[in-house]
């Protein structure tokens, strides 16, 4: 399986931490790799950052922040996982 890692912009990470809290923004490679796993076996990219929003408002704000920052040609490199 081919994997490609992308890196998160420090400003984006800081903004996401303001939205969901420091403990709910994962940037360590092992965490990003785990949450980027797709059981389909297709080639994939490792997310630049994973957010763990606690509610739909935090999720919406995180998605909006990523949309404003741009998504590298339509690929979403910020993963949101509900239920911290």
């Amino acid at each position: 399986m081919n994997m490609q890692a992308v890196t998160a912009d420090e400003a984006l990470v800081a903004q996401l931490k303001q939205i969901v809290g420091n403990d709910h923004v994962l940037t360590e490679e092992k965490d990003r790799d785990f949450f980027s796993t797709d059981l389909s076996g297709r080639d994939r990219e490792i997310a630049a950052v994973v957010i763990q929003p606690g509610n739909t408002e935090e999720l919406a704000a995180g998605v909006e922040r990523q949309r404003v920052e741009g998504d590298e040609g339509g690929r979403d490199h910020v993963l949101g996982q509900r239920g911290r």
Side-chain angles (χ1 to χ4, degrees):
M1 181 183 314
N2 184 21
M3 294 181 288
Q4 179 182 6
V6 293
T7 57
D9 177 81
E10 288 181 30
L12 175 61
V13 170
Q15 292 166 349
L16 292 170
K17 286 180 177 182
Q18 287 181 329
I19 294 168
V20 299
N22 290 343
D23 293 339
H24 305 292
V25 176
L26 309 179
T27 57
E28 294 292 322
E29 185 175 358
K30 66 179 178 54
D31 297 324
R32 294 182 297 115
D33 182 53
F34 176 79
F35 286 104
S36 297
T37 300
D38 179 352
L39 298 178
S40 70
R42 294 179 294 181
D43 288 351
R44 66 186 174 101
E45 292 181 298
I46 298 173
V49 61
V50 175
I51 62 171
Q52 297 177 309
N55 55 51
T56 55
E57 290 79 18
E58 288 180 358
L59 176 61
V63 169
E64 176 63 13
R65 182 75 272 157
Q66 173 63 7
R67 188 193 65 74
V68 169
E69 289 294 316
D71 67 357
E72 299 203 15
R75 289 182 239 129
D76 186 6
H77 298 299
V78 174
L79 267 123
Q81 181 230 357
R82 197 131 154 65
R84 331 181 175 164

